[in-house]
Amino acid sequence: MIKALKRLNEALPGLLLGIAIYGLIVEFAGVWFVSDKLRYTSGLWIGIACAMGMGIHLAMVIEEAVRMGDTGTKRLSFKSVLRYLVVVFVFFIMMYFHLGNLVSAFIGVLGLKVSAYVQPFMHKMIFKDIAPEESTNEQEEEVKL
């Protein structure tokens, strides 16, 4: 499955891992401060699932945009708006059936943004020992010229 995600977008597995780690941190930090722990937890993980779905869909839309080039910008714009409409629909379903806390679900969806900002640093931290720098003095001199 990770290979399929990497085939779609090289950074996608790291993004999804970051969203999951964010969800665990928010879960363990916030569950102690709420009275309704079940609704907090279910809302948070519904939001985390939405964030992961949004990340995968975003990667699919980017890949499609690269394939299509300049044609079909209306279609790509529609898909981007559709992504947010699906999240709003999920929130309405949550509210109607009392499936979770709406605020914690929104905090979960923010995991996509947090993970997008943290992912490059996390990638550097994880892979810094695996792929050492291959720069030589000759390459550095070529860059200076």
Side-chain angles (χ1 to χ4, degrees):
M1 181 163 151
I2 292 176
K3 286 185 181 184
L5 293 175
K6 275 192 173 184
R7 217 174 316 126
L8 185 60
N9 187 319
E10 190 69 29
L12 188 57
L15 181 73
L16 297 178
L17 177 65
I19 293 171
I21 291 171
Y22 169 83
L24 290 172
I25 291 170
V26 172
E27 172 69 28
F28 291 129
V31 77
W32 304 106
F33 300 107
V34 295
S35 58
D36 191 358
K37 294 175 185 349
L38 180 62
R39 287 191 61 196
Y40 170 81
T41 299
S42 63
L44 177 67
W45 289 104
I46 289 171
I48 294 294
C50 283
M52 288 182 166
M54 289 173 71
I56 293 170
H57 185 261
L58 181 63
M60 290 169 40
V61 168
I62 289 171
E63 194 271 330
E64 185 177 344
V66 169
R67 256 186 310 141
M68 292 175 67
D70 290 337
T71 61
T73 55
K74 286 185 179 181
R75 184 175 176 197
L76 296 174
S77 298
F78 172 74
K79 287 186 175 189
S80 295
V81 170
L82 181 66
R83 184 171 46 248
Y84 290 103
L85 289 176
V86 167
V87 171
V88 170
F89 178 73
V90 168
F91 282 6
F92 276 119
I93 295 296
M94 278 180 53
M95 285 176 24
Y96 184 77
F97 291 109
H98 304 288
L99 297 176
N101 187 333
L102 191 61
V103 174
S104 65
F106 180 73
I107 291 170
V109 170
L110 288 179
L112 177 63
K113 299 293 183 187
V114 171
S115 180
Y117 287 120
V118 173
Q119 193 270 337
F121 303 111
M122 190 171 71
H123 188 271
K124 237 186 232 184
M125 296 290 285
I126 291 172
F127 294 112
K128 74 176 179 183
D129 294 330
I130 295 173
E133 265 188 54
E134 297 176 7
S135 175
T136 64
N137 288 338
E138 292 174 8
Q139 290 173 340
E140 289 176 4
E141 288 177 14
E142 289 176 14
V143 171
K144 290 180 183 176
L145 296 175

